[in-house]
Amino acid sequence: MHIEHLALWVRDLERMRAFYETYFAATANDKYTNVSKGFSSYFLSFPDGGPRLELMQMPGIPDSLNDAFAQFSGLIHFAISVDSEAAVDALTERLRTNGFSIVGEPRRTGDGYYESVVLDPESNRIEITA
């Protein structure tokens, strides 16, 4: 068994697609639209394979009430691995320079990862790991 994909409800489908394409080299499939439900989505694939990320949008989906800067029960983050510690540092700085929130500075964790934690445009936590 393996995780095939993770899915996120988003408010701005095109902005979120562009974010993951720009910063994480994701490739989107053709946009799927179900006109009768007002549903649209993209599946994003990453260069090294692994699970895909589905971005979904539909009217009437409420915003999360969780505070993006606090921990809470349920899915809290997903991790995207880059090539090296230098790549973690460089991507973290690029995101910071472009105005994205860094909620965990690059560091070595107790379990051996080198990582930072950033928020995407809709405040989903992403660990950038090496």
Side-chain angles (χ1 to χ4, degrees), residues 67-84:
D67 177 351
F69 293 93
Q71 299 288 339
F72 51 86
S73 295
L75 184 63
I76 189 64
H77 74 263
F78 57 92
I80 298 177
S81 181
V82 295
D83 293 334
S84 64

Side-chain angles (χ1 to χ4, degrees), residues 87-103:
V88 170
D89 294 342
L91 182 52
T92 302
E93 282 309 308
R94 182 176 172 207
L95 287 159
R96 184 191 325 274
T97 298
N98 290 334
F100 294 98
S101 296
I102 310 303
V103 295

Side-chain angles (χ1 to χ4, degrees), residues 10-118:
V10 301
R11 292 180 296 280
D12 188 332
L13 188 61
E14 299 304 327
R15 181 176 184 214
M16 291 290 281
R17 177 191 53 78
F19 173 82
Y20 286 97
E21 288 175 334
T22 300
Y23 296 102
F24 295 97
T27 302
N29 70 333
D30 292 336
K31 184 179 183 179
Y32 168 75
T33 301
N34 181 321
V35 177
S36 66
K37 293 184 177 184
F39 175 85
S40 296
S41 71
Y42 287 108
F43 274 97
L44 304 178
S45 299
F46 296 90
D48 293 334
R52 297 178 299 159
L53 180 61
E54 183 180 15
L55 303 177
M56 308 180 304
Q57 180 183 41
M58 188 169 69
I61 302 299
D63 287 344
S64 171
L65 299 178
N66 293 317
D67 177 351
F69 293 93
Q71 299 288 339
F72 51 86
S73 295
L75 184 63
I76 189 64
H77 74 263
F78 57 92
I80 298 177
S81 181
V82 295
D83 293 334
S84 64
E85 291 182 10
V88 170
D89 294 342
L91 182 52
T92 302
E93 282 309 308
R94 182 176 172 207
L95 287 159
R96 184 191 325 274
T97 298
N98 290 334
F100 294 98
S101 296
I102 310 303
V103 295
E105 293 296 331
R107 69 198 178 285
R108 172 100 27 224
T109 64
D111 54 0
Y113 284 95
Y114 186 78
E115 67 183 35
S116 67
V117 183
V118 302

Side-chain angles (χ1 to χ4, degrees), residues 114-128:
Y114 186 78
E115 67 183 35
S116 67
V117 183
V118 302
L119 299 181
D120 74 12
E122 296 194 7
S123 296
N124 298 293
R125 285 175 176 247
I126 305 163
E127 284 185 357
I128 303 170

